[in-house]
Amino acid sequence: MATPTMDKVEAEASASPYITVTFRIRRFNPEVSAEASWEDFRLEIDPKERVLDGLHKIKWELDGTLTFRRSCAHGICGSDAMRINGKNRLACKTLIKDIGPEKPITVEPIKGLAVHKDLIVDMEPFFQSYREVMPFLVTSGNEPTRERLQSAKDRERFDDTTKCILCAACTSSCPVFWNDGQYFGPAAIVNAHRFIFDSRDEAGDQRLEILGGQDGVWRCRTTFNCTDACPRGIEVTKAIQEVKRALITRRF
Amino acid sequence: MKMHTYDTVIVGAGGAGMRAAIEATGRSRTAVLTKLYPTRSHTGAAQGGMAAALANVEEDNWEWHTFDTVKGGDYLVDQDAAEILAKEAIDAVLDLEKMGLPFNRTPEGTIDQRRFGGHSRNHGEAPVRRSCYAADRTGHMILQTLYQNCVKQGVEFFNEFYVLDQLLTEVDGVRMSAGVVAYELATGEIHVFRAKSVVYASGGTGKFFKVTSNAHTLTGDGQAACYRRGLPLEDMEFFQFHPTGIWRMGILLTEGARGEGGILRNKDGERFMEKYAPVMKDLASRDVVSRSIYTEIREGRGCGPEGDHVYLDLTHLPPEQLDAKLPDITEFARTYLGIEPYTDPIPIQPTAHYAMGGIPTNVEGEVLADNLTVVPGLYAAGEVACVSVHGANRLGTNSLLDINVFGRRAGIAAAEYAARHELVELPENPGESVAAQVERLLSATGSERVSEIRRELQETMDANVMVFRTEQTIKTAVAKIAELRERYLHVSVQDKGKRFNTDLLEAIELGNLLDLAEVMAVSALARKESRGGHYREDFPNRDDAHFMRHTMAYREVGDDGAQTVRLDYKPVVQTRYQPMERTY
């Protein structure tokens, strides 16, 4: 068991860790003003804490009206996707020390979805696109008594896209989505991919029909923003390319 | 105020709520009210697996699983319920697979299984591979699969609706469920949902602890709504502290890490669990492992400058195994601690994880008004409920199982009840109580701050009613909670608006936490024995003669308006297993 690294980590943890950070947050509350504006908050915080911890500190100690969604606080519920220093991230998975705290940290709502208040956006169009790609297993015939068999290799084929937490970081980082809300967007395609490439599923053709339409995968311009944005490390652009290829070859 | 009428209303959209919704939607006109978007629910945080004696990889059967569950719960488990849990586990897993859940597979293509704490072959002989899993994302896969099937079936969701009151109407001397009252986050509007049946599936209450694996949103809203209407809460003193939370943060690192061969070590590198559990070692039940960790720390064998944690060592496992079986938790260590688990051990400490207690139900999911009487039309399932399949300590992988087995049962029972019964009259002014609560908080000008009271509550709970308890520490907690409840009357919120007022909702959630913390502490004070997750240093032994019984806590309001907790007790259902000494 190697301990030297741990000693280093713990020595760092026990020194007084606080630094002063400025959070520059995009505020919007139509009950107060029709215009959005920037507001700065300065706080003392341990840079090993999360951006979400900083937002909580502001809400709990400085300004209770600051409004954002959050739940699990460790990157699995997908509530707190936001635009942090110009990039889509989960606030609970972004450590302050990793994003240049010597300069003001900008926090904005994700783009392309209507803002309701501060960092909260309208998620309904996002979930509507998801629902439209038949995001569920479709099979025919009688159900087997036991489980359906699937080889470990076939299971591995769609593993990457099962990791999606529907946080919308990918879709709201996509320039095509910003300019045209009709585009299904990366997350919906990821969730279609998850079933198209599942050996148990029988509705791949139907999903390809949906995604081959004018609002489907051909709108993708392969900018890789979605892959960069995904907090789960899903190769989103690759998944979209695989769906495109399946549309041409009809093999999946 | 808006009025809605449904046959069945389900409160909560985690695993239990959505499993219930899948059953109820085809059978009755169903609405699901959830304070989060469904896929945000904390079922998604569960990692290691779901137990079922499929016997896909080695000999196993549901009777062994039943025994392990009863023993794991330190014999406070209702054995009829545990038998249903273990028997129906097999179909529950197969149902999920048929719904599309991507389980890990064996070389033969069947569902793979792995070892987990407290699950054994032939009544404790050796660990058994019973946990059906999808890497360390089993809860995520269950949540996604259930949501996918809700989409498939067209389940009607009301997202970001906070249920704050349970409506009961007395008919011929019997209290019956009439519906619920909800607060809509987007608009601040109050909605009354009249329904023939209501199913609570709103999850746990871990946020009254500071170091916890629970989400910020796990504030016991369902338990509090029922308790305030005079319904009992069962076994609230039993709370599970998961052995392996990330040091100081509490983020869960699955027991599956030890199931895959991970080892707990103290500062001397010693595999200390061998001393405490010679057979099951690191895979003893969670209460045993958490106490062992704190014993090491108290006796000066903890790690780090303050000696306040121990290590979870995965360094002897091949990186390929970690990548395939434990990808998420190894990433948590990298993200939050800057540690590479291939080469360095992970600092951990026990983390408040799971409420064994909750709203008492029978095996059909019907809520009990006392030891014998059901509340017609009212159901509960999952962590909010107490069936009791977990007794004094839940086994790992039995909660994902619980939500599927009893979520399904409650969904069927509630829908069938709705088909056979008419709507009950609503009480007069059904939304009045919630409207008054909201109005009071919005107009309050007191100087107390929600975040400060919550912080003090969490600190007193961690210090006084965690893994080790004594009369003195529990009394300290009871007194502190009373002080905080008094101060809570003087809180004000800064956000006075109607639109997405999360400031207001945090205040309401704190009120729920305070009520439930009081119930927990008072219940713990009266249980003068040690059993499962409830360990009293002043009463270190289990006392079956006096305490082989469930606690039932009721809210009493005196003539002067003063609120107290009244305790009563309920017998444990024992069928085939007599209590034995519990060793691992």
Side-chain angles (χ1 to χ4, degrees):
Chain A
M1 190 177 65
T3 52
T5 312
M6 278 312 305
D7 290 344
K8 196 176 70 198
V9 169
E10 279 155 7
E12 283 169 8
S14 56
S16 173
Y18 286 74
I19 60 167
T20 304
V21 180
T22 300
F23 275 71
R24 182 161 293 166
I25 300 176
R26 192 69 174 164
R27 303 295 307 268
F28 173 63
N29 183 356
E31 285 184 300
V32 176
S33 164
E35 299 293 316
S37 61
W38 292 99
E39 186 171 0
D40 282 7
F41 297 91
R42 278 166 70 83
L43 35 147
E44 300 286 304
I45 196 161
D46 181 341
K48 289 198 292 299
E49 292 204 76
R50 298 159 272 199
V51 169
L52 179 63
D53 297 314
L55 295 174
H56 270 146
K57 225 170 145 69
I58 294 166
K59 184 174 182 65
W60 293 343
E61 295 169 19
L62 301 172
D63 184 351
T65 68
L66 179 65
T67 305
F68 49 91
R69 291 189 176 106
R70 89 289 188 254
S71 188
C72 79
H74 65 284
I76 48 90
C77 80
S79 297
D80 63 349
M82 33 190 100
R83 206 167 153 81
I84 299 168
N85 284 353
K87 281 185 72 175
N88 280 5
R89 308 163 189 263
L90 297 182
C92 63
K93 250 189 130 171
T94 307
L95 303 194
I96 289 166
K97 70 179 174 62
D98 295 335
I99 53 166
E102 52 287 342
K103 284 190 283 194
I105 294 170
T106 63
V107 185
E108 306 163 75
I110 48 177
K111 283 173 74 173
L113 294 161
V115 181
H116 281 317
K117 183 179 174 183
D118 290 348
L119 304 171
I120 291 188
V121 300
D122 182 4
M123 293 295 287
E124 279 309 318
F126 173 82
F127 278 103
Q128 183 58 36
S129 292
Y130 166 82
R131 287 192 291 265
E132 282 172 9
V133 300
M134 304 171 65
F136 40 76
L137 189 75
V138 177
T139 58
S140 60
N142 292 331
E143 298 247 298
T145 311
R146 293 285 295 195
E147 65 264 51
R148 289 193 167 77
L149 298 182
Q150 181 169 54
S151 72
K153 184 159 166 279
D154 284 346
R155 165 66 180 79
E156 180 61 26
R157 177 66 189 88
F158 63 101
D159 186 63
D160 200 37
T161 46
T162 64
K163 298 188 302 200
C164 176
I165 55 174
L166 297 169
C167 68
C170 60
T171 294
S172 65
S173 74
C174 174
V176 179
F177 181 77
W178 296 339
N179 292 329
D180 177 2
Q182 297 301 305
Y183 174 44
F184 278 104
I189 300 169
V190 160
N191 281 280
H193 178 284
R194 179 251 170 274
F195 288 101
I196 291 168
F197 293 94
D198 185 333
S199 60
R200 300 169 297 175
D201 184 79
E202 296 172 25
D205 282 324
Q206 284 167 266
R207 285 189 205 90
L208 289 175
E209 200 61 41
I210 294 166
L211 291 176
Q214 60 169 1
D215 300 323
V217 289
W218 303 115
R219 306 293 299 276
C220 168
R221 288 289 170 268
T222 333
T223 56
F224 284 88
N225 282 19
C226 50
T227 301
D228 291 342
C230 180
R232 301 288 286 156
I234 299 170
E235 294 183 272
V236 182
T237 314
K238 182 179 166 200
I240 296 171
Q241 293 304 102
E242 287 176 351
V243 174
K244 287 180 184 170
R245 201 175 308 129
L247 262 166
I248 294 167
T249 62
R250 292 284 161 171
R251 276 170 47 198
F252 47 86
Chain B
M1 200 167 300
K2 276 199 184 146
M3 297 291 296
H4 309 256
T5 303
Y6 283 86
D7 291 326
T8 305
V9 162
I10 295 169
V11 182
M18 290 203 282
R19 190 69 189 80
I22 287 167
E23 298 301 330
T25 292
R27 293 175 166 92
S28 66
R29 189 162 174 264
T30 300
V32 181
L33 315 187
T34 167
K35 78 180 199 180
L36 303 170
Y37 274 80
T39 57
R40 313 302 183 216
S41 304
H42 213 52
T43 294
Q47 297 166 353
M50 172 168 167
L54 298 184
N56 277 1
V57 290
E58 61 180 309
E59 187 187 359
D60 197 8
N61 64 63
W62 63 259
E63 190 271 321
W64 293 352
H65 185 184
T66 309
F67 171 78
D68 290 336
T69 299
V70 171
K71 177 184 170 186
D74 220 346
Y75 295 91
L76 196 69
V77 171
D78 286 328
Q79 296 184 13
D80 55 340
E83 189 167 316
I84 288 169
L85 182 81
K87 262 189 198 167
E88 295 188 4
I90 294 162
D91 277 340
V93 167
L94 297 177
D95 284 349
L96 285 171
E97 196 283 327
K98 287 166 195 169
M99 285 186 211
L101 199 140
F103 284 107
N104 277 44
R105 299 288 173 157
T106 64
E108 294 74 40
T110 58
I111 294 168
D112 198 11
Q113 299 189 271
R114 68 176 165 205
R115 298 189 179 102
F116 235 80
H119 290 281
S120 75
R121 172 162 53 84
N122 193 18
H123 313 96
E125 267 181 20
V128 74
R129 293 173 65 177
R130 186 179 289 147
S131 167
C132 310
Y133 68 99
D136 54 356
R137 308 183 178 118
T138 315
H140 165 76
M141 299 301 187
I142 288 176
L143 192 69
Q144 295 293 326
T145 300
L146 291 175
Y147 183 60
Q148 289 154 5
N149 280 271
C150 285
V151 170
K152 191 176 186 178
Q153 293 205 19
V155 171
E156 189 175 355
F157 289 101
F158 288 80
N159 296 326
E160 300 189 318
F161 275 58
Y162 287 62
V163 169
L164 300 179
D165 196 12
Q166 166 61 37
L167 298 173
L168 295 172
T169 301
E170 197 164 307
V171 181
D172 300 330
V174 178
R175 277 180 296 173
M176 303 179 72
S177 176
V180 297
V181 184
Y183 175 96
E184 183 184 3
L185 181 66
T187 61
E189 198 159 11
I190 291 166
H191 297 252
V192 174
F193 286 82
R194 195 177 175 197
K196 295 174 182 172
S197 57
V198 170
V199 182
Y200 278 91
S202 47
T205 181
K207 232 21 205 181
F208 51 39
F209 287 102
K210 182 175 159 201
V211 176
T212 175
S213 64
N214 280 205
H216 287 284
T217 43
L218 286 172
T219 51
D221 309 338
Q223 295 89 324
C226 289
Y227 176 67
R228 286 205 199 104
R229 288 294 173 189
L231 299 176
L233 295 176
E234 180 175 350
D235 289 344
M236 290 294 282
E237 64 271 40
F238 294 103
F239 206 92
Q240 176 164 87
F241 303 94
H242 192 291
T244 54
I246 289 182
W247 175 46
R248 291 184 176 168
M249 300 183 84
I251 295 171
L252 179 68
L253 299 178
T254 176
E255 193 168 287
R258 284 169 284 139
E260 292 291 338
I263 292 170
L264 295 171
R265 298 190 191 277
N266 62 21
K267 70 169 185 182
D268 304 320
E270 181 192 5
R271 183 182 194 178
F272 58 85
M273 280 312 300
E274 287 177 333
K275 292 184 294 194
Y276 302 96
V279 177
M280 297 293 279
K281 299 189 177 82
D282 298 89
L283 289 174
S285 69
R286 290 177 177 173
D287 57 326
V288 172
V289 180
S290 286
R291 274 195 296 281
S292 305
I293 291 170
Y294 269 123
T295 303
E296 291 295 303
I297 289 171
R298 285 171 148 206
E299 294 178 359
R301 293 185 295 278
C303 307
E306 292 169 43
D308 60 352
H309 56 274
V310 299
Y311 288 139
L312 173 63
D313 183 9
L314 307 175
T315 59
H316 55 292
L317 301 177
E320 315 82 71
Q321 186 183 355
L322 296 184
D323 292 349
K325 303 292 183 68
L326 303 167
D328 276 3
I329 64 142
T330 44
E331 193 201 309
F332 294 157
R334 291 178 195 120
T335 301
Y336 296 112
L337 294 167
I339 279 176
E340 176 46 68
Y342 295 158
T343 52
D344 290 313
I346 307 168
I348 59 97
Q349 71 179 99
T351 180
H353 186 54
Y354 186 88
M356 268 74 74
I359 301 169
T361 73
N362 61 22
V363 295
E364 307 306 330
E366 295 174 292
V367 170
L368 300 176
D370 54 40
N371 287 5
L372 300 168
T373 317
V374 301
V375 182
L378 192 58
Y379 299 79
E383 191 173 348
V384 73
C386 181
V387 183
S388 152
V389 287
H390 308 306
N393 170 66
R394 173 174 70 72
L395 289 188
T397 67
N398 267 357
S399 63
L400 289 179
L401 177 56
D402 176 8
I403 59 178
N404 278 287
V405 167
F406 289 99
R408 175 178 170 275
R409 283 180 156 249
I412 294 172
E416 288 183 347
Y417 177 91
R420 292 192 313 269
H421 292 82
E422 296 302 315
L423 287 162
V424 173
E425 285 299 317
L426 288 171
E428 262 183 61
N429 303 323
E432 191 180 29
S433 163
V434 171
Q437 184 186 14
V438 167
E439 185 47 41
R440 187 183 70 71
L441 282 165
L442 288 180
S443 59
T445 54
S447 60
E448 291 287 353
R449 216 182 243 283
V450 167
S451 59
E452 177 58 22
I453 293 178
R454 184 175 51 216
R455 188 181 62 75
E456 290 184 37
L457 172 68
Q458 291 169 342
E459 284 177 359
T460 197
M461 294 295 279
D462 272 23
N464 296 306
V465 286
M466 225 177 144
V467 171
F468 290 108
R469 303 166 175 179
T470 67
E471 177 160 321
Q472 195 201 334
T473 65
I474 301 170
K475 279 186 170 166
T476 303
V478 169
K480 183 69 183 180
I481 293 163
E483 176 212 312
L484 295 174
R485 285 167 60 87
E486 174 60 32
R487 285 168 53 192
Y488 179 71
L489 299 174
H490 307 287
V491 294
S492 59
V493 295
Q494 282 177 279
D495 194 337
K496 310 289 187 189
K498 288 195 164 302
R499 194 180 175 90
F500 289 92
N501 191 339
T502 54
D503 201 26
L504 169 72
L505 283 158
E506 283 194 35
I508 290 172
E509 289 170 335
L510 175 62
N512 295 341
L513 289 175
L514 285 166
D515 279 0
L516 298 172
E518 183 188 32
V519 174
M520 177 191 225
V522 168
S523 301
L525 189 60
R527 186 173 283 276
K528 296 179 178 175
E529 66 155 354
S530 290
R531 183 187 296 273
H534 171 73
Y535 190 82
R536 290 280 301 257
E537 291 186 87
D538 43 355
F539 299 96
N541 297 314
R542 196 174 76 199
D543 178 0
D544 289 341
H546 296 98
F547 289 105
M548 178 61 88
R549 56 186 191 174
H550 298 292
T551 306
M552 298 282 274
Y554 297 81
R555 177 172 178 263
E556 295 279 309
V557 183
D559 294 338
D560 59 351
Q563 295 167 29
T564 50
V565 183
R566 176 174 66 84
L567 297 184
D568 193 6
Y569 293 91
K570 187 174 77 148
V572 175
V573 179
Q574 291 182 6
T575 54
R576 62 174 86 199
Y577 306 110
Q578 289 305 306
M580 291 187 297
E581 194 195 348
R582 187 160 160 267
T583 56
Y584 284 98

